[in-house]
């Protein structure tokens, strides 16, 4: 029997609302640019995509949510919604970082994944054969810390990769993260198939918030 899960994924970690649904192997996805208003737009967008894909909330086998790094308020909007939906529907929810969205879930030796951060900085995460090496960091791409390039044959992927790689004597692969939710769907489907414990999705914050958020977001009440 072919494993064919119904997956609903969404992300509001940046100036966008991104959502995707996969059912019977078919992907329906949409990303809308917006700097504010994600909280009001997220649930209607999910309902529109589910209707378009012909999938009811109760038929979802798994959820996936973007946990950042990114905008503090935006991340909490999606994570709060995901926690509420997961609890209400009784389905697992996989929190997926923007680093994993960009690189996928296949090991590629030594990697540094880079994402844009405020004030011309970058969020970076080092990997070795698919496993994170230490915590993500906030760096100046013009002057990256030397210990990022400890591995030989390291590849820097993502935002301002060439600049970071040049300073570290590494190889660069310039690639931008787009269509966040669509990238999450296959990752969540594979983790569900492997029976990877989803845990409880939580925001991935790399730098301190300018204003400390409450300790836990309120639950989302399903209509």
């Amino acid at each position: 029997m072919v494993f064919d899960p119904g997956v609903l994924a969404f992300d509001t970690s940046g100036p966008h609302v991104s959502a995707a649904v996969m059912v019977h192997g078919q992907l329906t996805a949409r990303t809308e640019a917006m700097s504010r208003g994600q909280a009001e737009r997220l649930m209607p967008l999910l309902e529109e995509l589910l209707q378009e894909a012909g999938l009811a909330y109760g038929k979802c086998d798994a959820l996936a949510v973007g946990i950042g790094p990114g905008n503090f308020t935006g991340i909490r909007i999606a994570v709060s919604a995901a926690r509420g939906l997961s609890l209400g529907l009784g389905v697992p929810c996989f929190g997926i970082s923007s680093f994993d969205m960009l690189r996928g879930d296949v090991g590629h030796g030594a990697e540094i994944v880079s994402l844009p951060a405020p004030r011309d900085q970058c969020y970076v995460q080092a990997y070795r054969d698919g496993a994170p090496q230490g915590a993500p960091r906030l760096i100046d791409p013009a002057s990256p810390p030397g210990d990022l390039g400890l591995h030989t044959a390291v590849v820097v992927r993502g935002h301002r990769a060439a600049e970071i790689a040049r300073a570290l004597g590494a190889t660069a692969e310039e690639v931008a993260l787009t269509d966040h939710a669509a990238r999450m769907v296959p990752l969540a489907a594979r983790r569900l198939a492997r029976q990877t414990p989803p845990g409880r999705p939580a925001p991935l914050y790399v730098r301190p918030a300018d204003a400390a958020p409450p300790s836990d977001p309120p639950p989302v009440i399903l209509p």
Side-chain angles (χ1 to χ4, degrees):
M1 182 176 179
V2 177
F3 182 65
D4 184 22
V7 179
L8 173 63
F10 47 94
D11 179 275
T12 57
S13 63
H16 61 257
V17 174
S18 182
V21 179
M22 185 178 72
V23 58
H24 302 312
Q26 298 297 313
L27 182 68
T28 304
R30 192 184 308 166
T31 297
E32 299 180 0
M34 58 177 62
S35 58
R36 58 182 62 188
Q38 290 97 329
E40 293 77 14
R41 179 59 182 141
L42 177 59
M43 297 307 294
L45 178 58
L46 297 184
E47 291 167 7
E48 292 169 16
L49 286 183
L50 286 167
Q51 183 175 10
E52 183 178 344
L55 182 68
Y57 274 117
K59 296 297 183 181
C60 291
D61 296 297
L63 305 174
V65 63
I67 59 172
N71 177 271
F72 292 102
T73 301
I75 295 170
R76 294 185 69 82
I77 290 169
V79 170
S80 296
R83 288 178 176 178
L85 286 169
S86 177
L87 180 64
L89 298 173
V91 298
C93 181
F94 296 93
I96 298 178
S97 75
S98 298
F99 298 115
D100 282 344
M101 290 182 214
L102 185 62
R103 66 173 293 279
D105 61 356
V106 178
H108 300 285
E111 304 170 83
I112 297 169
V113 180
S114 176
L115 302 168
R119 303 178 183 88
D120 291 326
Q121 295 181 304
C122 290
Y123 299 120
V124 296
Q125 173 68 69
Y127 290 85
R128 183 71 175 180
D129 295 328
Q133 302 295 292
R137 300 162 71 173
L138 181 66
I139 70 163
D140 177 359
S143 181
D147 60 351
L148 276 179
L150 291 179
H151 297 298
T152 59
V154 65
V155 177
V156 183
R157 290 186 171 89
H159 183 65
R160 297 176 71 173
E163 188 174 3
I164 298 171
R166 186 165 52 249
L168 299 176
T171 304
E173 182 181 316
E174 294 277 358
V175 58
L177 176 57
T178 58
D179 301 322
H180 295 62
R183 289 174 179 260
M184 281 193 285
V185 167
L187 299 178
R190 285 194 286 271
R191 294 179 189 185
L192 184 66
R194 294 195 299 257
Q195 298 184 333
T196 303
R200 187 168 184 254
L204 174 61
Y205 296 141
V206 180
R207 63 185 180 89
D210 296 328
S215 60
D216 211 27
V220 172
I221 306 301
L222 294 176

